Amino acid sequence: MTANNHRNGEPASDRRDQGTVLDRMQMPPMSGDEALRRFHKEREAGGHKSQSDETTELAKLHPVMRFVAVAGTFILIVAALLGVLYLIGS
């Protein structure tokens, strides 16, 4: 006995695969490098800073405060891991 692979009586060859929205969009062929170059060019033309010019909030801090922030984060991570180990061991 064979399976009926037809929907609504249509043969499988008559059905067209619609794909996704992204499959139907007309995109010009370009490499990843070309796409990044165009993206950065459009951002600079729009008045946005390039990513290499932007500094993070952590980099703007005073060196002592930066050390406190990083050390505090490290201590919190270690404390959480030790807490998990304690709960597993008990």
Side-chain angles (χ1 to χ4, degrees):
M1 202 169 178
T2 61
N4 185 5
N5 292 330
H6 307 300
R7 293 183 188 164
N8 300 330
E10 297 175 0
S13 61
D14 289 346
R15 279 185 275 126
R16 204 177 90 199
D17 184 18
Q18 294 295 321
T20 64
V21 174
L22 293 176
D23 292 333
R24 287 178 280 195
M25 289 176 60
Q26 296 296 322
M27 299 293 290
M30 70 175 77
S31 67
D33 293 332
E34 176 68 16
L36 282 175
R37 186 187 64 76
R38 288 186 185 184
F39 175 75
H40 290 301
K41 185 177 177 183
E42 289 174 6
R43 280 186 54 118
E44 289 173 2
H48 298 301
K49 290 189 225 172
S50 69
Q51 195 172 18
S52 60
D53 294 340
E54 295 175 0
T55 56
T56 63
E57 300 253 347
L58 186 63
K60 293 177 186 176
L61 290 176
H62 188 273
V64 173
M65 292 305 296
R66 190 179 324 153
F67 175 75
V68 169
V70 171
T73 304
F74 179 73
I75 289 171
L76 284 174
I77 291 170
V78 169
L81 290 175
L82 288 175
V84 169
L85 288 175
Y86 175 76
L87 290 174
I88 291 173
S90 61

